[in-house]
Each structure stands twice: as structure tokens, then as C-alpha cells.
Amino acid sequence: MTRSQLAVAIATVLSLCRLGATTPTAESLTDADVGAAMQAIVDELARRKAPDTYWDPPVWIKLDDGEPSQGGGYTALVALALQHAGVSYQSDLLRDVIEHLKTVPLRGTYAIATRAMVWANLPDAFRPQLDADVKWLTEAFSRKSGGWEYEARPQSAILDNSVTLFGALALWHASRRGVTIDDQVWRRMEQRFVATQNADGGWSYRPPDARSTGSMTTAGLTALHIVEDALHGPLFARVVEGYDSPSRRAQRAALAWLDSTFTTDRNPGSDMYDFYYQWGLERVALAGGRRTFGGRDWYREGAAELMRRVLDDDPDTGGYRVRATVNDIFGDSPMRNEQLAFALMFLARGRVPIVINKLQFDGAWNNRPRDVGNFTDWLGRESERELNWQVVRLGSDPTTWLNASMLYIASHEAPPFIADHERALDAYVRESRTMLAKRRAGRLPKDAAPPTRPDVPALDALRTYVELGGQIVAINEQGGRSFARLIELMGSAMYPQYDWQEAPPDHPAYGLVWPADGALPRLQLLSNGVRDLIVLADREDLAASFQERSMRRASAWTTLANLVFIGSEKSRLSPRLHETNPLTSPTREQVSAGTI
């Protein structure tokens, strides 16, 4: 066999191996796999699109009163999923669908709420359609039940957590586009979900049914996240020490329930609605910045499981194709359009780049629960792309933080992970700098042993993250000095060879992408001469502006946005499953070369 024949044979074998490969495991899953899966689902939905009914069944099941149930709803749901997958509303696939949704009369709450979410993702020219659907939803809302029924029954006392989630999502998305929602709607909804939570922390489909399920627990928790953002967001513009509420206790209990029951192959507590549950997990995780449930990566495991259930390998293309059937409680059932829509939304929304990690640590790490979430939403709108954020726990593996180039730390008090070692760290910094001065003056042998760094695991983790290309941005809340002083000590202990310096007015943080508008927030920088390793906003409480979504200090938003783009090489942001972002930063060896 000649060399060229051998090469052809090897290539053929490799091609056959690839074409015959099964869908990836959670451990082997890559973003390319997710992209191929999304394309297969989009292609299948395009194939299933009917000329007149689009993605709705030809005939809808009738309700008891004879009215059609949710006509137009599946078409709106698929359109929403395609939007999240990046399909333009002006494309051949969606152009006629959007025109259809503009004119078709809808009667069901699911259908109208989903259509409202479609309008909320479109330009301002569709604002009249959004306003009309919000008006319908507001008038159909039952103050007696604190939610909605399948159709407009504003006097109903029936509690339906599923349809109420769709109504809540629609109003929340509308509010993000500037539509005013009556606070009484949010307040009554909050009361309803707190009152109907089960003792185990979960929610059922129709209380007082006591069986908690994963799908309904994600619905209740998502609704409370929405209400906290819409109703209580301004409360946290100032630091409220020790604040607690029935809603917050309910949220903690629900998260504990989800942590204890997390799985990806079924809807906990139910034998049905697995895809709805997966979509619900994605909503909860993105609203709350959750990276894991039960210590497990919800997106990596969930995406692999969805691909296993939805897709087969396509030997003709080397990619995937949608299975004709899906295994559920009824055995092998036909794959339905709404299942594909939920799967596509899970894959698409969970895949988008994570731009900021918010550090969770013992102490006051979350005074402003929506600061990073609000900032990320704003940055996504300004940069015309969907973006995510996540909470990372101090004590977890810092290499798992690397899918975001920024680690955001905010508090108004001395962080315990530094304060508990303050005296030892302060002594280490003084000894190190004395040694450096002697070395520069030629009064110390070059091979003299440096001082021993105190054993502080938190500092080791933070330093690992920085040396692998990440940047720490710390926000001093409420103007005191306790937090800022200890962040300065932390940086000096991590890098005693570098000095803190104030950012000059021409620093890229003030104008790389967005020019600063108004007074510049003062930034203290710890730099290695190549890039800024730690940035500290030591005077202005930027987090307060983010929490209350206030643009009175636009420079707060543009400064943090510029820092994001500095770290991500002017928006070359990697999808979630990439382990690192491409950063214009030195390697670990380059950074370490400057240490004593």
C-alpha cells in the first residue's frame, strides 16, 4: 500500500467513525455539537412548517365551553425558539409567520403570552402588537387567584401555575422593553406563589394538589425571580443588611428542592413534560445566574440528555437529524413541535457567552441581587447579542470560572476570606516589599529566598484565575473603606511586586468601545505592565446603578462594559462550553515570571 493509499484509508476509517458516532456524553460535549444539534432542529422545524397552520395542529382540541384552546400558540412558541436560535424575523422561515401572528385572533393565555414574548424580541415597530397583548393579559389577570387561567377569566379562583408562568414571563419581557406593568399584578402574583408553595419547597401544577414537580417548581421560582426584579429591585439600590422576606425564604426553599432532585432524564415528581422541565431549569438558572444544580452543570448534562433523546446521527451529512419518535410515559410517541421548541430554547439560551462571573463567598456578597443580571441584559441589548452571567462559589475549582473573562466581587464590608488572614497578609506584603527594595538596591543576593506566603486557599484560587487570563473587578458598595482596603491588601498579597495606581482619564475602561458620559468613576488598578489584573472601583457604588437600572450615571455602565470588552478582546466572546475566552493576556508563565 502506498503512502497516499494509506492516507485515504485512514481518512475513510476516521470518517466512518465520525459518521457512526453517537450523540456526545456530557463530558465530551462541545459547542460544535450543540451548534449541529440546533441546526438539525431548525431544519426539522422548517420542514414541518405547514402553509396555512404553520406549526399548529390542523384542528385544536376544544374546551368544555366550545372555544378553541390555544390556537396559534405552538406557532408562537416555535417562532420564539427560532428567535433564540438566531433566526431573523425577516428570514424566509419567519417572515410570513410574523405576519400571520400579527393578524390571527388568539384567545388562549398560553398563545397570547407566548406571542407577546415574540413581539418583545422584535424592533420598536412591533410595539403596538406588544402593547395590545399586554393589555389583554393585564385584563385577563385574576386578582382573586393571583394568576391566569387558560382563557380570559379575571374572576377565576383556579390556581394554574403553568399558565401563570407564561403570563408572568410575557409581562416581564414587556417591562424590559419599557411597557409599564401595574405593581399590583406583581404583588398579587408574589403572594400567590408564596402561599401555594409546598412544605418541601416545591410547587404543584394546580394547588392544593400536594405533589411537587420539577416543571412547576421551576415555574414558581422563575415567577418569584421575576417579581423580585420587577417589584423589589429598587429596594436593593441601597444596602439593606439582614434583609429577608417570605419571597426570599420561598426562593431558598425552592432552590434546595431543585438541588436535591436535579436530574436531566425526567421531570422530578412527574412522568410527563420532561422538555418543559428542561426549559424551566434553563429559565431559573439564567435568571439567578446558576451554574449548577446539586453541584452538577445543568447545561452540559441537560444538553447532552436532550440531544440523546431528540437526535440521531445522520450518516448522509455527518451531523444529526431529529428522531421521528421520543420515548415518554406513553412509549415511543411522535416527536411534537412544542418538544422541539423547548429543546431548541434550552440549547440556544444556555449556549450563549457568559460575560461575568459573580463571586459568592461567606459574607455580604449579594447585596444587589440583580446588579450583574441587569448589567448583562443592558450589555446584550447594546451589543445586539444575547449574553449570560453566572454565580461562582469561592471554594470551587477556579478553572471552571474561565468561560467568563471577568470575576465580579462586590460588597460593603470586609470580605471574610481576606479579613480572617489580614494580619498575616499585611506582614507578608511588608516583608516582600522590603525584600524587593533591597534586591533593587543590590543589598540582597538574587538567590535569597522570598518570604513565605500565608496559606490562604482563596488567594490561591483567585490568583489561578487571574494567571490563566481572567480579570477581577471589585465594586466598593456604599462608600465605606472596609471592603476597598481589604481588596487592596488582597491584590498586594497576590502580587507584592506591583503597585496600585489610579486609572488615567485616557484608560481604555473609559472609552474602548463606549466613550464615558459625564464624570468618570475612579478606578484603582493593579497591573503587571501588560494588562490590569485587578480593577477596584473604590469610591463610586457602581452596583447601585446596575441594581436600580439607573442611567443617571451612564459612565458606570459604559465603564464596566469597556472592561468586559478589554478582557474579551473587543467582544470575541466564547460560547458557554468553551473552557476559556480568547484573551489578549499573558500566559501563566509570563505572569509568574514577574513574581519574587
Side-chain angles (χ1 to χ4, degrees):
M1 181 180 289
T2 65
R3 179 174 296 180
S4 61
Q5 289 173 323
L6 178 62
V8 170
I10 292 174
T12 301
V13 170
L14 291 175
S15 175
L16 290 173
C17 290
R18 178 176 61 83
L19 294 178
T22 58
T23 53
T25 64
E27 293 74 23
S28 65
L29 184 69
T30 68
D31 183 70
D33 296 324
V34 174
M38 289 172 53
Q39 187 61 57
I41 296 174
V42 170
D43 290 345
E44 176 64 14
L45 289 170
R47 187 189 68 79
R48 292 184 178 200
K49 181 182 174 185
D52 299 318
T53 57
Y54 302 94
W55 291 286
D56 277 273
V59 178
W60 269 91
I61 299 172
K62 302 292 184 179
L63 294 180
D64 292 340
D65 60 7
E67 292 187 357
S69 51
Q70 303 298 320
Y74 285 169
T75 294
L77 185 67
V78 171
L80 182 65
L82 291 171
Q83 284 180 322
H84 287 306
V87 177
S88 170
Y89 76 98
Q90 297 174 318
S91 67
D92 291 340
L93 182 54
L94 279 182
R95 187 186 304 112
D96 58 337
V97 176
I98 297 300
E99 289 303 312
H100 168 72
L101 290 174
K102 284 173 67 175
T103 59
V104 63
L106 303 185
R107 296 181 178 179
T109 306
Y110 275 119
I112 291 174
T114 307
R115 184 174 65 178
M117 288 187 264
V118 171
W119 303 142
N121 288 330
L122 294 175
D124 288 341
F126 293 88
R127 179 63 182 265
Q129 285 77 28
L130 177 60
D131 287 339
D133 282 351
V134 168
K135 182 176 184 293
W136 187 97
L137 289 165
T138 303
E139 292 176 351
F141 179 79
S142 169
R143 282 170 168 74
K144 186 177 296 184
S145 71
W148 288 268
E149 254 210 79
Y150 275 70
E151 294 185 336
R153 296 192 176 99
Q155 300 304 315
S156 173
I158 292 177
L159 300 169
D160 186 309
N161 284 337
S162 179
V163 73
T164 295
L165 169 65
F166 273 74
L169 285 169
L171 296 189
W172 183 73
H173 281 287
S175 73
R176 309 298 279 185
R177 292 300 302 272
V179 179
T180 300
I181 308 299
D182 186 352
D183 282 352
Q184 290 302 317
V185 172
W186 300 125
R187 190 167 289 109
R188 183 66 190 92
M189 199 183 306
E190 179 181 54
Q191 293 167 350
R192 168 243 181 84
F193 278 103
V194 169
T196 59
Q197 186 176 35
N198 290 334
D200 62 4
W203 277 273
S204 63
Y205 170 50
R206 279 195 171 179
D209 173 16
R211 183 179 62 172
S212 297
T213 68
S215 53
M216 291 302 95
T217 300
T218 61
L221 185 52
T222 299
L224 289 181
H225 278 321
I226 287 172
V227 170
E228 181 166 282
D229 181 38
L231 191 61
H232 303 304
L235 169 67
F236 300 101
R238 58 186 179 87
V239 173
V240 184
E241 295 192 49
Y243 174 81
D244 204 5
S245 68
S247 175
R248 287 207 140 188
R249 292 191 290 273
Q251 292 175 54
R252 290 196 298 272
L255 285 170
W257 191 93
L258 290 173
D259 280 331
S260 67
T261 62
F262 174 75
T263 184
T264 60
D265 61 354
R266 60 182 175 81
N267 178 12
S270 173
D271 296 320
M272 303 175 67
Y273 309 115
D274 300 345
F275 292 82
Y276 183 112
Y277 160 67
Q278 289 282 67
W279 170 73
L281 273 180
E282 166 256 301
R283 299 293 322 202
V284 167
L286 298 187
R290 296 276 296 197
R291 179 182 176 85
T292 64
F293 288 103
R296 295 157 58 187
D297 188 325
W298 63 268
Y299 182 70
R300 180 173 287 279
E301 293 193 24
E305 176 62 19
L306 280 176
M307 290 172 63
R308 184 190 70 80
R309 297 190 67 186
V310 171
L311 303 172
D312 283 328
D313 296 299
D314 186 348
D316 295 331
T317 65
Y320 302 112
R321 62 187 176 196
V322 172
R323 299 183 61 189
T325 62
V326 62
N327 187 267
D328 57 23
I329 188 175
F330 305 109
D332 283 336
S333 302
M335 186 76 69
R336 301 192 302 275
N337 290 340
E338 73 272 19
Q339 292 174 319
L340 293 177
F342 285 132
L344 183 58
M345 283 192 286
F346 180 96
L347 294 172
R349 297 192 75 245
R351 177 197 192 197
V352 303
I354 297 170
V355 294
I356 302 180
N357 296 315
K358 185 173 182 177
L359 187 67
Q360 178 180 355
F361 53 88
D362 292 339
W365 69 277
N366 200 30
N367 290 323
R368 277 59 182 265
R370 287 297 301 168
D371 52 356
V372 176
N374 288 340
F375 171 79
T376 303
D377 289 344
W378 171 85
L379 183 60
R381 291 193 301 273
E382 290 294 312
S383 57
E384 297 183 345
R385 63 184 307 179
E386 196 164 359
L387 302 172
N388 286 336
W389 64 288
Q390 68 183 8
V391 174
V392 296
R393 186 185 298 273
L394 188 64
S396 62
D397 181 356
T399 63
T400 65
W401 309 346
L402 291 170
N403 48 10
S405 61
M406 179 183 293
L407 183 67
Y408 176 100
I409 310 175
S411 188
H412 72 297
E413 63 183 22
F417 64 89
I418 302 299
D420 292 347
H421 307 277
E422 180 177 2
R423 183 172 299 179
L425 291 174
D426 187 64
Y428 167 72
V429 171
R430 283 188 281 104
E431 292 172 12
S432 298
R433 289 182 170 170
T434 298
M435 183 176 186
L436 284 167
K438 289 181 178 179
R439 180 178 293 170
R440 285 192 292 267
R443 295 187 286 112
L444 194 69
K446 290 186 178 181
D447 59 355
T452 301
R453 182 182 290 111
D455 183 15
V456 182
L459 257 63
D460 294 337
L462 295 171
R463 185 181 170 102
T464 295
Y465 173 74
V466 170
E467 291 183 355
L468 290 174
Q471 181 184 71
I472 296 173
V473 173
I475 308 295
N476 184 39
E477 296 178 328
Q478 216 159 259
R481 281 294 301 164
S482 298
F483 176 78
R485 181 176 59 81
L486 281 225
I487 291 296
E488 290 170 353
L489 175 60
M490 177 191 81
S492 296
M494 291 166 64
Y495 300 102
Q497 68 275 32
Y498 305 135
D499 295 321
W500 286 93
Q501 296 181 342
E502 185 172 342
D506 61 351
H507 190 276
Y510 301 132
L512 178 70
V513 179
W514 285 273
D517 182 14
L520 304 179
R522 192 176 88 157
L523 301 178
Q524 296 294 323
L525 312 174
L526 192 68
S527 173
N528 63 1
V530 178
R531 68 185 182 101
D532 299 323
L533 309 176
I534 305 176
V535 178
L536 168 63
D538 65 336
R539 287 186 179 175
E540 184 175 345
D541 189 348
L542 306 186
S545 295
F546 305 145
Q547 175 64 36
E548 60 180 346
R549 295 201 292 268
S550 170
M551 297 304 296
R552 290 192 300 272
R553 290 299 305 275
S555 59
W557 301 78
T558 57
T559 297
L560 190 62
N562 287 328
L563 288 170
V564 166
F565 284 112
I566 290 170
S568 59
E569 204 176 32
K570 293 190 178 180
S571 83
R572 294 186 186 178
L573 299 166
S574 297
R576 178 189 181 97
L577 291 180
H578 282 201
E579 292 301 320
T580 60
N581 281 327
L583 301 170
T584 53
S585 60
T587 64
R588 177 199 289 262
E589 291 74 21
Q590 289 173 315
V591 176
S592 298
T595 61
I596 59 173

